[in-house]
């Protein structure tokens, strides 16, 4: 039984990790090695003069090159990473903050038609986001938001808000009202009680919600491509934009950049992993 | 003019269930009032309406002459101990106790010093840096008490604040609480389902049942002169002996009694319930009633002997010497000064 489990897990690991491993290998190659007719999958410390050999010379040149501007792009990878960070973080902060406030209202006060409102909030997710890309494009053009950080921040905030409201409502419902009531009786206003007593208890829930919002904003591609192809370009759109440039795809730099790009999300997710599991069970399922 | 006044206070839950039904109560400045009643009778709901955590469905609450019925909780100047403690989980014990003082604008050093002093009196010093999660139920309850006592508000509201303490601790805390209350003269409404606690603490006891007040009075009055069968049964442990009897106008007939009991006052003929506290029942070689000993409960300074008689079970207070054996036949002598009569249909007091 145990053997079977190990076998299944290892097989899955190999399947899931293979692309990442290949990317990691590619990031250590020179460009010629990435497009060689014979696959080169073994790193070596010095060059091998045989085109059929699986060995290639490992180098960190691609990582050193992350600051370089490639043909057809206006900024280096690091510049675009900056845009991704600004847009991802600010939209996440906004979604979690607005979502928490909204969920608190639904959780603690009797809102007429609360169920319908919550369903409406959720229903904004029913439509595939890309279905509204054209109207959004027209609006953004009129508002001069195309190619700006603010444009994508607002867009991602709105798209993530419904998820944030639902997740946070689940977490806030789990926090006994008695804590706030004690604070109210002690003389604190509703707002102070929320800030001083409820928020510290909701930290885990907010971290979980933030992970979900950040992942979706960080990896978003469709809107980033259509709205921000010429300014405030995020990393996913930047990689796509390198296609067809006259120098050919800089594969080692793309591989290195992609690894750097997934690193922060991975670290963040691992940090809140325990809470994520809790969030999945009582944040969403027990609504 | 009373300090805290509840007028025709009502609470009806959204489903239509009536939790509090026309409660009338006046608490004087510095008075210690205990709401006593079985669980579910609306004590907590009444307290929460006074605190401003629940909006009454009807009636008025006045504090010092001012109508506070719709005033937010934070503007009422109240100190409250919650039934389930409600300690702030992210704060240490010291910070919990000091929290109400922060809102009152007391500087940090002074707050913590005050918390420390209170903790010392409540024997919580060793726990000051712990979080509530790492405390036993009894310890949490004492922290909740300390937090409520940190400030000297207009009113203290306490919802079964000693419920989870062991009996020795509870007696000790009762005395501490009463001493503090007397020292600071803060009007207090205290909720409990434990009649011993109520007797020990109260200036006046308010007996509640099913959302209504049945009787209000000082402990001895509630004990000696119960207004009805419910109070007679609920107050005192063991409660009052209640026996079915027949009044013939001049005398009371009891099933299995050797002779009719001559009651001092004339009572309308018919069925009555005869109530008699155990201290008015004496074991005797031959008495009005005889029966078999069902249980002999040793209480330390005295015993309660439960006797099965033809008229029903009767509990007698006895001294600790010469305990009776279970199954033994004994006689019971009644002291008629202790007899209270109730109407079996309505449960109300007749005489
Ligand atoms: N929030 C609530 N919603 C509906 N019913 C409630 C609520 N709180 C209490 N009740 C009901 O009101 C009645 C009185 O409750 P409570 O005041 O807590 O009684 P006690 O404190 O005397 O035990 C009970 O029947 C209880 O089930
Ligand atoms: Mg209660």
């Amino acid at each position: 039984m145990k053997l079977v489990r190990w076998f299944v897990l290892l097989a899955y690991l190999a399947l899931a990790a293979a692309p990442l491993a290949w990317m990691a290998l590619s990031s250590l190659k020179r460009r010629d090695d990435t497009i060689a007719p014979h696959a080169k999958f073994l790193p070596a410390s010095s060059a091998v003069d045989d085109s059929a050999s699986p060995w290639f010379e490992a180098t960190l040149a691609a990582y050193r090159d992350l600051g370089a501007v490639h043909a057809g792009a206006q900024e280096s990878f690091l510049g675009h990473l900056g845009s991704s960070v600004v847009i991802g973080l600010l939209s996440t902060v906004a979604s979690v903050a607005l979502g928490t406030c909204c969920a608190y209202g639904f959780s603690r006060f009797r809102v007429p038609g609360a169920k319908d409102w919550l369903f409406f909030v959720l229903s904004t997710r029913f439509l595939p986001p890309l279905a509204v890309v054209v109207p959004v494009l027209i609006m953004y053009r009129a508002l001069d938001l195309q190619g700006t950080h603010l444009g994508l921040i607002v867009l991602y905030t709105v798209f993530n808000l419904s998820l944030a409201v639902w997740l946070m409502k689940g977490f806030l419902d789990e926090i006994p009202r008695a804590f706030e009531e004690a604070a109210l009786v002690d003389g604190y206003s509703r707002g102070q009680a929320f800030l001083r007593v409820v928020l510290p208890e909701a930290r885990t829930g907010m971290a979980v919600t933030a992970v979900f919002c950040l992942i979706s904003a960080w990896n978003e591609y469709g809107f980033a491509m259509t709205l921000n192809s010429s300014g405030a370009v995020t990393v996913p759109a930047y990689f796509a934009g390198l296609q067809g440039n006259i120098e050919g795809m800089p594969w080692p730099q793309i591989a290195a950049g992609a690894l750097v790009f997934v690193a922060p999300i991975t670290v963040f997710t691992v940090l809140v992993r325990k809470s994520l599991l809790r969030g999945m069970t009582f944040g969403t399922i027990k609504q | 003019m009373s300090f805290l006044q509840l007028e025709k206070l009502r609470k009806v839950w959204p489903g239509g269930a009536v939790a509090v039904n026309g409660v009338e109560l006046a608490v004087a400045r510095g008075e210690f009032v205990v709401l006593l009643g079985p669980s579910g009778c609306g004590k907590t709901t009444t307290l929460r309406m006074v605190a401003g955590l629940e909006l009454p469905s009807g009636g008025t609450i006045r504090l010092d002459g001012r109508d506070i019925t719709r005033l937010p909780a934070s503007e009422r100047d109240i100190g409250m101990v919650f039934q389930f403690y409600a300690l702030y989980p992210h704060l240490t014990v010291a910070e919990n106790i000091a929290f109400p003082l922060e809102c009152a604008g007391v500087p940090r050093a002074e707050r913590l010093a005050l918390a420390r002093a209170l903790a010392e009196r409540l024997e919580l010093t060793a726990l000051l840096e712990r979080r509530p999660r790492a405390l036993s139920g009894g310890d949490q309850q004492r922290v909740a008490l300390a937090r409520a006592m940190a400030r000297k508000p207009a009113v203290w509201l306490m919802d079964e604040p000693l419920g989870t303490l062991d009996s020795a601790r509870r007696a000790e805390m009762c005395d501490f609480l009463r001493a503090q209350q007397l020292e600071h003269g803060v009007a207090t409404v205290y909720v409990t389902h434990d009649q011993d606690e109520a007797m020990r603490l109260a200036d006046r006891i308010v007996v509640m049942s099913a959302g209504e007040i049945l009787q209000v009075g000082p402990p001895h009055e509630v004990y000696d002169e119960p207004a009805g069968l419910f109070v007679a049964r609920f107050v005192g442990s063991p409660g009052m002996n209640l026996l079915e009897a027949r009044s013939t106008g001049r005398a009371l007939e009891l099933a299995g009694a050797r002779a009719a009991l001559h009651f001092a006052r004339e009572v309308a003929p018919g069925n009555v319930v005869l109530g008699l506290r155990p201290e008015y029942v004496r074991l005797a070689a031959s008495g009005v009633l005889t029966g078999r000993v069902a249980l002999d409960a040793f209480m330390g300074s005295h015993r309660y002997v439960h006797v099965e008689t033809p008229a029903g079970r009767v509990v007698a207070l006895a001294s600790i010497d010469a305990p009776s054996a279970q199954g033994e036949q004994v006689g019971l002598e009644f002291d008629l000064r202790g007899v209270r009569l109730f109407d079996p249909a309505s449960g109300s007091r007749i005489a």
Side-chain angles (χ1 to χ4, degrees):
Chain A
M1 203 52 230
K2 205 166 177 179
L3 213 66
V4 174
R5 188 156 56 188
W6 272 105
F7 179 75
V8 170
L9 282 178
L10 280 175
Y12 178 72
L13 180 69
L15 204 64
L20 276 172
W22 190 252
M23 204 155 70
L25 286 174
S26 298
S27 75
L28 297 173
K29 294 176 186 173
R30 296 186 193 292
R31 180 155 191 279
D32 290 346
D33 288 332
T34 63
I35 51 175
H38 294 279
K40 308 231 173 228
F41 50 87
L42 296 172
S45 54
S46 59
V48 183
D49 235 357
D50 175 7
S51 68
S53 156
W55 296 92
F56 67 89
E57 188 193 353
T59 165
L60 290 174
Y63 290 91
R64 280 193 294 273
D65 250 16
L66 285 177
V69 181
H70 294 280
Q74 290 139 14
E75 274 184 280
S76 69
F77 168 81
L78 292 180
H80 294 292
L81 187 64
S83 285
S84 270
V85 167
V86 167
I87 292 171
L89 283 188
L90 290 184
S91 78
T92 298
V93 167
S95 300
V96 174
L98 291 173
T100 304
C101 292
C102 177
Y104 182 73
F106 278 117
S107 174
R108 293 302 199 260
F109 299 99
R110 203 170 300 156
V111 180
K115 284 223 167 100
D116 300 326
W117 281 112
L118 281 169
F119 183 77
F120 164 71
V121 167
L122 190 67
S123 72
T124 59
R125 295 280 284 202
F126 291 174
L127 203 63
L130 283 177
V132 294
V133 76
V134 173
V136 169
L137 186 64
I138 294 168
M139 281 194 289
Y140 270 40
R141 225 177 247 161
L143 293 171
D144 254 352
L145 283 172
Q146 225 189 331
T148 64
H149 290 100
L150 181 65
L152 281 190
I153 291 172
V154 169
L155 199 73
Y156 293 162
T157 302
V158 171
F159 277 129
N160 282 329
L161 199 51
S162 67
L163 177 74
V165 170
W166 272 74
L167 275 175
M168 284 315 298
K169 174 149 187 320
F171 281 108
L172 291 173
D173 283 347
E174 293 288 319
I175 301 173
R177 288 158 184 249
F179 299 142
E180 290 145 271
E181 292 179 344
L184 288 178
V185 169
D186 283 343
Y188 291 89
S189 69
R190 175 62 74 168
Q192 286 171 319
F194 174 69
L195 290 176
R196 301 285 311 269
V197 178
V198 180
L199 277 195
E201 283 307 290
R203 274 181 310 205
T204 322
M206 293 168 79
V208 169
T209 308
V211 170
F212 283 114
C213 292
L214 185 60
I215 288 176
S216 104
W218 194 251
N219 293 331
E220 204 282 332
Y221 170 71
F223 279 97
M225 267 312 270
T226 23
L227 297 179
N228 279 26
S229 52
S230 54
V233 182
T234 59
V235 173
Y238 159 70
F239 282 157
L242 286 176
Q243 261 172 40
N245 84 62
I246 44 164
E247 287 173 5
M249 290 292 265
W251 290 117
Q253 284 81 2
I254 289 179
L259 282 182
V260 170
F261 186 65
V262 298
I265 298 283
T266 311
V267 170
F268 190 24
T269 309
V270 167
L271 282 181
V272 297
R273 191 185 46 202
K274 270 204 193 118
S275 320
L276 267 179
L277 284 178
R278 245 164 36 101
M280 297 304 273
T281 48
F282 74 63
T284 52
I285 294 172
K286 231 174 100 189
Q287 63 130 335
Chain B
M1 178 81 202
S2 55
F3 185 56
L4 173 67
Q5 203 156 6
L6 315 185
E7 293 161 11
K8 300 200 187 76
L9 202 59
R10 265 174 74 77
K11 179 71 193 182
V12 183
W13 296 116
V18 181
V20 175
N21 195 4
V23 159
E24 295 271 349
L25 182 65
V27 181
R29 211 177 275 277
E31 193 179 20
F32 200 119
V33 168
V34 175
L35 301 187
L36 175 65
S39 144
C41 72
K43 307 181 297 289
T44 296
T45 307
T46 307
L47 218 57
R48 287 172 58 85
M49 287 193 283
V50 176
L53 299 173
E54 214 75 70
L55 199 62
S57 316
T60 314
I61 304 169
R62 282 179 212 287
L63 185 63
D64 209 5
R66 195 158 71 111
D67 183 345
I68 60 162
T69 317
R70 290 175 168 272
L71 201 67
S74 52
E75 291 167 33
R76 294 193 184 195
D77 192 19
I78 273 167
M80 184 157 176
V81 183
F82 288 79
Q83 189 166 1
F84 301 107
Y85 337 126
L87 299 177
Y88 309 118
H90 61 289
L91 300 181
T92 64
V93 166
E95 289 165 338
N96 258 286
I97 300 176
F99 198 71
L101 294 169
E102 183 177 346
C103 189
V106 181
R108 184 178 165 80
E110 205 173 312
R111 289 201 300 268
L112 290 175
L114 245 157
R116 194 163 287 280
L118 253 174
E120 199 157 322
R121 297 192 61 177
L122 286 159
E123 293 169 40
L124 291 167
T125 311
L127 310 176
L128 276 173
E129 295 312 316
R130 291 221 210 145
R131 308 235 169 223
R133 239 184 287 284
L135 262 49
S136 72
D139 288 342
Q140 290 193 38
Q141 201 145 45
R142 285 184 299 138
V143 176
L145 208 55
R147 182 177 66 185
M149 294 189 140
R151 244 162 23 103
K152 305 294 173 273
V155 181
W156 269 330
L157 303 176
M158 307 195 176
D159 196 350
E160 314 211 5
L162 310 180
T164 52
L165 299 183
D166 53 75
S167 58
R169 230 339 156 5
R170 185 184 306 203
E172 192 183 302
M173 289 297 301
C174 265
D175 296 341
F176 169 78
L177 223 158
R178 184 64 168 142
Q180 285 280 303
Q181 193 267 342
L182 284 174
E183 183 184 331
H184 299 290
V186 178
T188 303
V189 182
Y190 182 106
V191 161
T192 181
H193 62 256
D194 182 315
Q195 54 93 31
D196 288 326
E197 243 173 75
M199 299 272 180
R200 197 176 181 120
L201 287 167
D203 287 322
R204 276 188 308 151
I205 292 179
V206 178
V207 184
M208 286 185 70
S209 167
E212 300 189 20
I213 292 184
L214 298 182
Q215 187 172 4
V216 181
H220 65 87
E221 194 180 299
V222 172
Y223 183 80
D224 277 340
E225 306 286 347
L229 277 177
F230 182 89
V231 181
R233 219 177 269 134
F234 195 75
V235 176
S237 76
M240 196 175 249
N241 291 306
L242 297 168
L243 304 172
E244 282 175 24
R246 270 193 65 77
S247 155
T248 56
R250 279 248 151 259
L252 298 168
E253 291 173 352
L254 215 57
R258 262 190 328 150
L261 304 174
H262 289 281
F263 193 56
R265 282 170 45 195
E266 190 140 347
V267 179
N271 289 334
V272 295
V273 174
L274 181 154
L276 196 60
R277 293 251 174 230
E279 48 271 39
Y280 292 102
V281 182
R282 222 160 38 78
L283 296 180
S286 71
V288 232
L289 276 177
T290 52
R292 214 168 39 77
V293 174
L295 179 72
D296 190 337
F298 177 68
M299 305 298 292
S301 62
H302 54 271
R303 295 183 291 136
Y304 284 115
V305 184
H306 298 239
V307 181
E308 213 62 72
T309 76
R313 181 177 278 220
V314 178
V315 181
L317 177 71
S319 61
I320 48 166
D321 39 79
S324 49
Q326 194 178 351
E328 196 181 324
Q329 282 289 129
V330 292
L332 295 172
E333 198 81 74
F334 287 0
D335 182 343
L336 294 185
R337 283 174 306 171
V339 169
R340 307 285 178 262
L341 296 182
F342 304 92
D343 177 2
S346 67
S348 58
R349 177 87 176 269
I350 305 171

